[in-house]
Amino acid sequence: MLIKRVKKIPFSWKRVAVIVACGLLIIVLGSIGLKKYTTMVLTKLIHQTVAKSAPHLYHVRFADVSTNFIAGSISLHQIEAKLDTGAFNKLKQEKNEPEYVLNNMHIAQVDIEHVGLLKAIFTRSIDIKSVLIDKPSFSMVRTHIALPVKASLSKTAYQHLAKYCKSLQIDEMRIRSLAIQYRDSSAGSQKDIQIKDMTIDIHGLLVDSLSQYDKTRLWHTKDVVFSIQNYEYEIADKLYKLHCDEISGSIARSDLKFNGLRLTPQYAEMDTAARFKKERERYKLFFEEVVLDKINYPLLFSNRRLVATSLSIKGADIDIFLNRAVPYGGPDKARNFPSLALKRAPLDVQIDTIKWDRSKVSYSEYSLLSDSKGQVVFDQMKGQMQHVTNSSAAIAQNRFCNVTANAMLMGNAALTVKFKFDLADSLAGFAFYGNLGRMNARILNPVLRPFALIRVGKGVVENITFNGEGNTHLVKGKLSAKFSQLRIGILAKDAHKLKHRMLASWYTSILILRSENPSDDDGLFHTSSFVYQRPAYGSFFNEVWKGLAAGLMDNIGL
């Protein structure tokens, strides 16, 4: 049997180099060709997508599209989109304009990493490991509130996407250094919001035939986490600046958190009042932490309804000042009673519980009668409100909002109060109960001297209990104070005003009225009734305070 010998080809480095070079050339030429093809397809896809989503409304352009077939990466540079105002005005005349209108948009760069390009080309399924959108900025206007579209008529994101691919999956997407100018004109009045330095992280984006009906996902994602650093907003009248160290939230956790939230007045107390011809409160606010929990984000974005389980406030410091020397000429302050103010909120609100802790409220008022400023301080505040809502359906089921609060009055006496607000009452009806613990009566001087022109020389208050009810017209109730060794001095700027009390000096001698309750003589315990008619300039807290003050004055014999 003959065996044919195969001629052995001698080894040659030159031949190997030629083969490798040819292979590399094929790969390079293939990559260049694929890059051009991919660039052309991407460019066409971007323009088609914009045209389909908003026909003839926007002009889109970008400086460059670069791809790396081997690494599976795509980069788009200097992307711009501009509104075609002519096309928009035509749609507006036809009353067919979109709910949200993007005026201008610019993105510095979009980096897409680890794209399955071959899978995308041959199976029309796009799988992406990560996307980075760097320094996007845009201005947007909400023109109106769109009517709900029937599910049978509306298309899902997948149904829009199906013309181009079978599925889209992005594991991680980050939007970095986002700047937004947003105007909401949907409710009649214009409200502008500007946001800078916002970061958004999107996890587990999936659009396919199954996920389109997945109710566990919002906007086809597993989670959207966002944060805004050092947010600032100047109030329109330039009297205040709003600042927040950080705003953050998560769609999956259903929360929203504000850290270091403060409203800072730009002028001193009396200077603020001097800028107006009519009486106006001045506010200085600080909140260490505010957390909304279990928010229904879909309802918030689609229907402007704020539904949440709880709102927690920690480390609040609220300072309010009012100059009574400035004449009152504004609207009736009845509109700011808690239940009526809630009805004027720009959103439908339904919060199960509002809680606060480690908080302080200070109210001060300049009195023309005494030519001085009085102040009352509640610190170490802790409490909660239940069933806070302006929703008609929720109020129909339960019309009452209950409030319980504890505080230290002037840092000395323990105070407990309970309020019950009738959310359905057009006159903002309410009922209340309270108890003030043991204290040295002299701590009330910063309140009593400027407002009531009386001074406590000495005395011990064992407790004060009170209860009552009221509305925007009046408050009435009962108050009883248990006290001993009480000495009161009555003050007057003008002696003529107090002739009927036979007082003729600014600081009178100590006047003994009812120094003990119960009385040492007969052991009777005196309880006072009070009724106070609210004037138009009287706020809710002013009405309650004036009613209680009337009861207290009667209780001590003034």
Side-chain angles (χ1 to χ4, degrees):
M1 184 176 181
L2 297 175
I3 298 175
K4 188 177 180 180
R5 294 190 177 187
V6 180
K7 187 177 180 181
K8 187 176 181 180
I9 299 174
F11 177 80
S12 172
W13 281 107
K14 185 177 181 180
R15 187 178 289 111
V16 173
V18 170
I19 293 172
V20 172
C22 290
L24 290 174
L25 182 61
I26 291 171
I27 293 173
V28 170
L29 292 175
S31 298
I32 293 173
L34 187 60
K35 177 180 178 179
K36 289 184 177 180
Y37 174 75
T38 307
T39 301
M40 180 184 68
V41 170
L42 282 173
T43 304
K44 184 178 179 181
L45 179 61
I46 291 171
H47 284 288
Q48 284 181 346
T49 303
V50 172
K52 291 289 185 181
S53 60
H56 312 298
L57 263 183
Y58 301 102
H59 300 292
V60 180
R61 68 182 183 87
F62 39 89
D64 181 40
V65 178
S66 59
T67 60
N68 187 323
F69 177 71
I70 298 174
S73 64
I74 303 170
S75 294
L76 293 84
H77 307 275
Q78 303 301 328
I79 306 166
E80 290 185 356
K82 291 188 176 181
L83 177 68
D84 187 329
T85 54
F88 173 74
N89 289 332
K90 184 177 179 181
L91 288 175
K92 192 173 182 180
Q93 290 176 357
E94 296 170 354
K95 296 183 178 180
N96 196 31
E97 74 271 23
E99 182 179 3
Y100 293 93
V101 179
L102 187 68
N103 286 328
N104 294 290
M105 182 191 72
H106 178 268
I107 302 174
Q109 186 167 324
V110 176
D111 292 324
I112 306 172
E113 301 291 339
H114 302 291
V115 185
L117 292 176
L118 291 177
K119 184 178 181 180
I121 293 171
F122 294 110
T123 68
R124 295 177 65 239
S125 296
I126 301 175
D127 289 343
I128 300 172
K129 185 70 175 178
S130 66
V131 176
L132 173 63
I133 302 175
D134 191 31
K135 297 179 181 177
S137 61
F138 64 87
S139 60
M140 177 180 284
V141 178
R142 189 180 190 184
T143 59
H144 63 283
I145 301 176
L147 295 175
V149 179
K150 292 183 179 179
S152 59
L153 299 178
S154 62
K155 287 187 177 181
T156 65
Y158 171 73
Q159 290 169 337
H160 286 288
L161 187 70
K163 296 179 181 179
Y164 309 105
C165 63
K166 291 182 179 179
S167 66
L168 171 64
Q169 180 173 337
I170 302 174
D171 293 344
E172 303 290 336
M173 179 186 295
R174 165 162 282 202
I175 303 173
R176 184 172 63 191
S177 300
L178 172 63
I180 303 171
Q181 289 184 335
Y182 176 73
R183 171 170 291 180
D184 191 343
S185 303
S186 60
S189 60
Q190 293 186 350
K191 296 181 179 179
D192 294 339
I193 298 175
Q194 291 189 4
I195 298 174
K196 296 180 181 179
D197 196 19
M198 182 176 187
T199 299
I200 302 175
D201 289 305
I202 301 171
H203 304 284
L205 175 67
L206 177 62
V207 183
D208 61 14
S209 58
L210 296 177
S211 68
Q212 62 178 327
Y213 300 116
D214 188 349
K215 294 183 179 180
T216 64
R217 293 173 175 265
L218 179 61
W219 305 320
H220 297 274
T221 70
K222 288 184 178 179
D223 194 11
V224 177
V225 181
F226 57 90
S227 67
I228 304 171
Q229 303 296 323
N230 297 313
Y231 173 74
E232 289 190 348
Y233 179 71
E234 188 173 65
I235 307 299
D237 55 15
K238 296 184 179 181
L239 288 177
Y240 299 93
K241 280 189 177 180
L242 179 68
H243 175 90
C244 189
D245 294 342
E246 182 183 28
I247 304 172
S248 61
S250 165
I251 301 298
R253 295 195 308 265
S254 304
D255 65 2
L256 178 62
K257 181 184 290 186
F258 301 85
N259 287 325
L261 178 63
R262 57 176 60 83
L263 180 70
T264 307
Q266 300 303 291
Y267 302 95
E269 291 178 341
M270 298 301 284
D271 291 339
T272 300
R275 300 180 69 85
F276 298 97
K277 295 181 179 179
K278 304 298 181 181
E279 181 183 282
R280 186 168 176 175
E281 287 90 350
R282 174 189 180 271
Y283 298 93
K284 184 178 180 180
L285 314 176
F286 173 75
F287 301 91
E288 180 182 313
E289 182 183 84
V290 179
V291 180
L292 271 163
D293 198 25
K294 302 304 178 194
I295 305 172
N296 189 324
Y297 272 109
L299 277 179
L300 179 62
F301 291 125
S302 61
N303 292 21
R304 299 166 66 98
R305 291 186 59 198
L306 177 58
V307 178
T309 299
S310 67
L311 171 63
S312 300
I313 302 170
K314 293 181 180 179
D317 190 346
I318 299 172
D319 189 349
I320 306 170
F321 171 76
L322 181 63
N323 184 359
R324 288 292 187 188
V326 179
Y328 178 76
D332 192 327
K333 288 189 177 180
R335 65 196 299 267
N336 291 328
F337 271 50
S339 59
L340 299 184
L342 186 59
K343 289 180 181 179
R344 299 200 329 271
L347 300 173
D348 286 340
V349 178
Q350 188 173 346
I351 302 175
D352 294 344
T353 306
I354 296 180
K355 300 177 288 186
W356 57 92
D357 192 12
R358 295 188 289 106
S359 298
K360 175 183 175 182
V361 174
S362 173
Y363 177 81
S364 56
E365 187 176 295
Y366 174 78
S367 171
L368 188 61
L369 182 65
S370 64
D371 191 24
S372 60
K373 185 176 80 169
Q375 184 180 50
V376 58
V377 179
F378 304 92
D379 56 10
Q380 302 178 44
M381 291 183 64
K382 182 178 182 179
Q384 65 177 20
M385 301 176 67
Q386 294 180 320
H387 192 55
V388 182
T389 183
N390 56 12
S391 166
S392 300
I395 292 174
Q397 293 181 351
N398 178 10
R399 64 188 292 163
F400 295 107
C401 169
N402 294 304
V403 180
T404 302
N406 298 288
M408 295 299 292
L409 174 63
M410 311 299 281
N412 186 278
L415 173 66
T416 298
V417 292
K418 295 182 179 181
F419 283 91
K420 188 173 186 178
F421 296 101
D422 189 341
L423 302 176
D425 186 6
S426 60
L427 296 179
F430 63 92
F432 61 93
Y433 163 84
N435 179 76
L436 183 63
R438 193 176 192 276
M439 65 178 177
N440 185 327
R442 295 180 64 183
I443 72 166
L444 296 176
N445 279 331
V447 183
L448 298 176
R449 290 176 67 171
F451 300 149
L453 291 180
I454 64 174
R455 177 178 61 86
V456 178
K458 62 178 294 188
V460 175
V461 176
E462 295 298 333
N463 66 71
I464 299 176
T465 59
F466 52 88
N467 63 80
E469 59 184 21
N471 53 33
T472 56
H473 292 162
L474 58 82
V475 63
K476 61 182 179 179
K478 293 184 177 181
L479 179 145
S480 59
K482 185 177 181 181
F483 53 86
S484 61
Q485 303 176 21
L486 187 63
R487 298 294 184 271
I488 299 293
I490 299 181
L491 317 172
K493 256 189 161 183
D494 184 352
H496 181 70
K497 293 180 180 179
L498 294 177
K499 278 185 177 179
H500 64 286
R501 296 182 183 177
M502 293 184 295
L503 301 171
S505 65
W506 171 253
Y507 286 99
T508 72
S509 57
I510 296 299
L511 179 67
I512 301 176
L513 301 171
R514 184 179 290 115
S515 61
E516 314 284 341
N517 192 24
S519 171
D520 285 341
D521 297 332
D522 51 22
L524 294 177
F525 187 69
H526 183 69
T527 298
S528 299
S529 297
F530 60 86
V531 177
Y532 176 72
Q533 299 279 345
R534 186 192 67 87
Y537 59 79
S539 65
F540 166 74
F541 289 104
N542 180 267
E543 178 184 80
V544 174
W545 157 247
K546 288 295 182 69
L548 294 177
L552 181 61
M553 294 301 101
D554 178 77
N555 214 243
I556 64 179
L558 282 174

